[in-house]
């Protein structure tokens, strides 16, 4: 007999029947597949969420870390506490005070980026089949975590002022009617990834009130809060509600992501569980990274540095919005974010952002299709454009290329009409969804 | 009405009914509770597993990292690949070559210490109720991970030559007869934590052969492999079996734990799942830590440094074993480890290591009771003594104090006899277990 079939079979995954059920939910994200192509230098990537850290003073950082090794090396290079370095947790409370939070360092747990905080919170709360309520759209990395823990995501719509309270109430009621258990609301109140909108102060109070009444814990994810362009930061939701909010913060955008230092601030009993989960996951978060961040905060004008970052990102936001206004064909709409990294672009009816992506990459521009930010297949009529990493000039060039690709698509539709329609194309928004910021476009 | 009861109630965990089922398995380990008392300077801690890194050249490390920031700061402080830094993965293959492993950097996944590798492997393989076979005793941190994923641990006995092949076969057969699914064998072949024994070359082949035949994946955890005292490292199990072994390594003991850099080497399809799990857990392992370790390996005589570590630990092993021989009362037995950090001490019949611990700490010496290293309640008649962190002089003093406490216990038993017997005291070994190394004592 020919042995070729056996060989072919051997090249497949021989472990396929042995993985845990949860592993079926671990799939390569659309962003991840994109990174490979978008990282070619000729492509303008409006896809990634990498901060631009070129403004950091390398001599200051290098000097502080060298000093750290010389003076505290045996501690910095040793195992540490599962909860994190006490001095850093003290400094974290100072960072959070900028958004109105009064907290004790004892209720802070340091994590390997705030991504790990999402992972640990989900780990301690979610059994398979439990429901997490998320904004529509929501952060792709969080959706991946919820899927990996076999939790089900139910989206609630946003508008230009953030999560819509009535939509949240409806979602909670629908889940409860179905006899399902809601474990928490996952929300990004400031400069939303990917929607670019900020939840208004009044909305925050209403959302907190609804969640308290309905017994739904709030997971407030706030990596961008200090990166507002036009005003002082809004009060964090956690500032007004300590008992029912887990707050997540990060140094990835206000300092640098390569240290992977984020944190969770949690009600005391939850904090205890998070520490146990952290010990099981890593024994302790990287001591060296934590002490490096702590040394940076202690020796550098970190608030001045954040101010510089804000000005740099504002300039890039202006470049992107200006280019969109100048170049986008009719039928597109977008919001003008007042902070953070992202613009959410809604396409003319019938244009599928995911189907168009290969043509865009051929035209040397990349973005993330809106579908990545929904757990339920919505979003094909939208995309996320990021203005954080490329220069203003490159952003303008990227938008120019994208406009060209879109014009071709629109022309194709005008020529061939509805015969191009696909059932799975939608405006990127669930029924009743009001495009974020269309009123400010 | 008096409001006191309500206040008391309010101090309890209001989230208690909302946690995931797995969270019930997350409990503070006996080691963890110990650290608080054992860290007082007057206590000689023979409990912890912290490496002694005081021999590291701080000027070399600090200089290399300063150089890293100045020359590659914008990359080192940025997000990186979920799989880890390519150059470091290349260097990791060189480290593994010292134990006979030929591997491609593409099959290496960097993790936040090898603890996270245990976590990610368990995450992708274990559904609740799945069985993991472990040596008896086994590493407390791995047992905690298996419990957190609701996997069931079945122990298989060891002797002075490591895991007993017949015991492994019996354990596999018993689990299969019960209709349960075995996901993998977790083994520490070199300088076992906590048992201190090394699996012989012949045993390794038999264990690999049994696992291959029975369709049981092998998880080879090898943090101490390069820290042998008396000979060159044995060939890793992975060196002779690439398809059915996931190998875990770490820089925590050969360089420093504070960077939290470990790794998994896995068959290609498993490697893909591990990368997806890593992306979900942390987006990427700390880029800065990885590049710092890489710079250390590139600029320092790291093999010479390991040789120094080996000599230092050998001296401490000699101090501990010498003190045990000089001071321990009759009826105690222990092994003489030829590498690593640990001695396993078996107590005279009727002495309970856990019950004795408060008296030991009062006498200013700490250890880890054997029960921490069993998932099934065994081990109360044994303890783990570590010789890695205290100086030789302190080790001797610690053993002297421990011997005093033990003599008091033995005298108490001689006076009051069997009336002190407790049902839950055992020799620290499951039925049929041959104390590791009792023949070499």
């Amino acid at each position: 007999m020919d042995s070729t079939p056996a060989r072919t079979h051997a090249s497949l995954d021989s472990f396929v029947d042995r993985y845990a059920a949860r592993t079926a939910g671990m799939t390569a994200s659309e962003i991840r597949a994109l990174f490979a192509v978008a990282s070619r230098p000729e492509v303008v990537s409006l896809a990634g969420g990498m901060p631009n850290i070129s403004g950091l003073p390398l001599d200051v950082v290098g000097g502080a870390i060298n000093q750290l090794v010389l003076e505290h090396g045996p501690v910095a290079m040793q195992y540490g506490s599962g909860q994190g370095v006490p001095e850093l947790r003290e400094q974290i409370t100072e960072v959070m005070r900028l958004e109105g939070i009064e907290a004790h360092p004892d209720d802070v747990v340091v994590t390997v980026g705030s991504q790990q905080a999402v992972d640990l919170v989900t780990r301690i709360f979610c059994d398979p089949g439990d429901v997490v309520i998320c904004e529509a759209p929501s952060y792709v990395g969080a959706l991946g975590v919820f899927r990996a823990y076999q939790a089900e995501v139910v989206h609630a719509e946003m508008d230009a002022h953030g999560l819509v309270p009535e939509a949240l109430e409806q979602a909670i009621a629908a889940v409860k009617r179905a006899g399902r258990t809601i474990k928490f609301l996952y929300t990004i109140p400031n400069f939303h990834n990917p929607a670019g909108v900020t939840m208004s102060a009044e909305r925050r109070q209403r959302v907190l009130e609804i969640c308290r009444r309905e017994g739904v814990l709030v997971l407030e994810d706030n990596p961008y809060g200090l990166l507002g362009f036009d005003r002082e930061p809004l009060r964090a939701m956690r500032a007004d509600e300590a008992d029912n909010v887990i707050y997540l913060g990060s140094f990835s955008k206000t300092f640098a992501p390569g240290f992977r230092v984020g944190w969770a601030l949690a009600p005391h009993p939850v904090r205890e569980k998070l520490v146990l989960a952290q010990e099981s996951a890593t024994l302790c978060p990287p001591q060296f990274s934590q002490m490096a961040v702590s040394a940076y905060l202690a020796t550098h004008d970190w608030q001045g540095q954040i101010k510089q970052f804000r000005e740099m990102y504002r300039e890039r936001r202006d470049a992107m919005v200006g280019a969109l206004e100048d170049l986008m064909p009719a039928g597109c709409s977008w919001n003008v974010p007042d902070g953070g990294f992202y613009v959410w672009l809604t396409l003319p009816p019938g244009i599928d952002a995911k189907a168009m992506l290969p043509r865009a990459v051929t035209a040397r521009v990349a973005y993330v299709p809106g579908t990545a930010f929904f757990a339920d297949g919505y979003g094909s009529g939208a995309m996320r454009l990021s203005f954080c990493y490329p220069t203003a000039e490159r952003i303008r060039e990227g938008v120019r290329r994208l406009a060209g690709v879109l014009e071709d698509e629109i022309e194709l539709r005008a020529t061939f009409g509805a015969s191009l329609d696909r059932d799975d194309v939608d405006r990127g928004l669930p029924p009743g969804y009001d495009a974020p910021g269309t009123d400010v476009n």
Side-chain angles (χ1 to χ4, degrees), chain A:
Chain A
M1 282 171 67
D2 192 304
S3 67
T4 307
R7 275 197 199 126
T8 305
H9 184 75
S11 72
L12 297 174
D13 183 356
S14 62
F15 297 95
V16 69
D17 299 327
R18 299 198 240 172
Y19 295 119
R22 73 174 67 83
T23 307
M26 296 179 195
T27 51
S29 78
E30 291 171 272
I31 283 184
R32 182 169 178 258
L34 267 170
F35 275 154
V37 282
S39 66
R40 294 202 308 254
E42 70 272 21
V43 175
V44 176
S45 177
L46 306 175
M50 290 202 301
N52 170 26
I53 57 171
S54 62
L56 287 172
L58 298 182
D59 52 341
V60 172
V61 176
I65 295 177
N66 189 21
Q67 202 69 4
L68 169 67
V69 174
L70 294 176
E71 289 176 12
H72 305 286
V75 173
M77 294 193 277
Q78 189 52 271
Y79 288 112
S81 134
Q83 186 171 359
V85 171
E87 190 183 357
L88 177 65
R89 288 190 278 114
E90 183 82 46
Q91 290 165 312
I92 284 171
T93 63
E94 288 163 29
V95 173
M96 293 191 293
R97 201 168 289 129
L98 298 177
E99 297 178 86
I101 295 174
E102 292 297 328
H104 195 282
D106 202 33
D107 289 331
V108 174
V109 183
V110 179
T111 55
V112 184
S114 64
Q115 179 74 19
Q116 199 212 10
V118 177
D119 185 274
L120 295 182
V121 168
T122 309
R123 179 188 295 223
I124 67 169
F125 278 105
C126 289
D127 286 312
D130 282 345
V131 171
V132 175
I133 297 185
C134 294
E135 284 138 353
S138 187
Y139 168 51
V140 59
L143 297 179
V145 171
F146 304 145
R147 194 166 53 238
Y149 283 96
Q150 300 165 274
E152 191 192 322
V153 167
V154 170
H155 286 289
E157 64 183 295
M158 302 168 79
D159 63 16
H161 309 289
L163 180 61
V164 177
E166 293 73 22
L168 173 62
E169 285 177 317
Q170 284 164 22
I172 293 172
V175 174
K176 288 189 171 178
R177 263 199 314 278
R180 306 289 290 274
T181 304
I182 302 170
K183 284 300 169 73
F184 52 82
L185 163 70
Y186 173 77
T187 179
I188 307 164
N190 290 314
F191 322 125
H192 192 275
N193 176 3
V197 298
T198 292
M199 201 191 300
S200 68
E202 182 263 340
R203 285 277 175 89
R204 291 175 194 225
Q205 293 306 318
R206 288 184 60 196
V207 167
L208 285 173
E209 188 267 317
I210 291 165
C211 287
R212 195 165 44 235
R213 189 181 69 219
E214 298 288 343
V216 172
L217 180 66
V218 176
L219 182 56
E220 177 181 22
D221 192 5
N222 188 30
Y224 309 101
L226 297 179
L227 295 177
F229 305 146
D230 307 316
R231 59 176 176 198
E232 289 306 295
L234 285 179
R235 274 176 77 81
M237 296 170 80
R238 168 60 178 73
D240 293 314
E241 167 82 72
D243 293 341
N244 197 43
V245 175
I246 300 174
Y247 174 95
L248 309 186
S250 172
F251 289 108
S252 291
K253 280 80 181 181
T254 52
F255 174 31
F259 298 97
R260 310 305 297 119
V261 177
W263 70 88
L265 170 68
H268 203 77
V270 175
R271 185 279 279 169
E272 287 179 2
K273 301 291 184 195
L274 288 174
V275 172
L276 290 170
Q278 177 65 288
E279 289 174 346
S280 179
T282 69
L283 293 182
C284 59
Q287 181 91 342
F288 194 87
S289 287
Q290 293 178 74
M291 290 182 73
V293 171
S294 180
Y296 168 80
L297 295 173
T299 57
H300 188 55
D301 174 17
W302 59 273
Q303 297 203 49
Q305 183 64 57
I306 290 175
K307 194 157 172 287
Q308 279 185 35
F309 281 145
R310 289 162 61 171
E311 283 163 13
M312 180 262 302
Y313 289 128
R314 176 167 48 203
E315 193 183 304
R316 292 176 181 203
R317 185 268 320 256
D318 291 344
M320 175 166 280
V321 171
L324 289 168
E325 281 169 4
D326 292 348
L327 300 166
M328 275 292 129
C332 295
S333 61
W334 58 89
N335 60 326
V336 179
D338 57 351
F341 287 4
Y342 306 110
V343 165
W344 183 254
L345 179 72
T346 303
L347 303 175
I351 307 289
D352 182 334
K354 200 168 162 184
M356 193 178 79
L357 185 57
R359 290 188 285 279
V361 171
T362 305
R364 293 167 298 135
V365 60
Y367 54 81
V368 183
T371 41
F373 307 100
F374 291 87
D376 51 12
Y378 281 101
S380 61
M383 61 177 66
R384 188 190 76 178
L385 300 178
S386 55
F387 52 82
C388 44
Y389 199 71
T391 61
E393 193 186 355
R394 293 275 287 171
I395 287 170
R396 200 170 172 85
E397 174 60 21
V399 170
R400 197 188 59 73
R401 293 174 187 173
L402 181 61
V405 175
L406 266 171
E407 278 161 9
D408 288 350
E409 291 288 307
I410 292 166
E411 192 181 317
L412 211 65
R413 278 198 64 81
T415 309
F416 295 98
S419 66
L420 290 169
D421 273 348
R422 289 171 46 178
D423 286 347
D424 61 349
V425 176
D426 63 76
R427 299 297 310 285
L429 310 170
Y433 181 94
D434 184 19
T438 45
D439 56 347
V440 290
N441 173 22

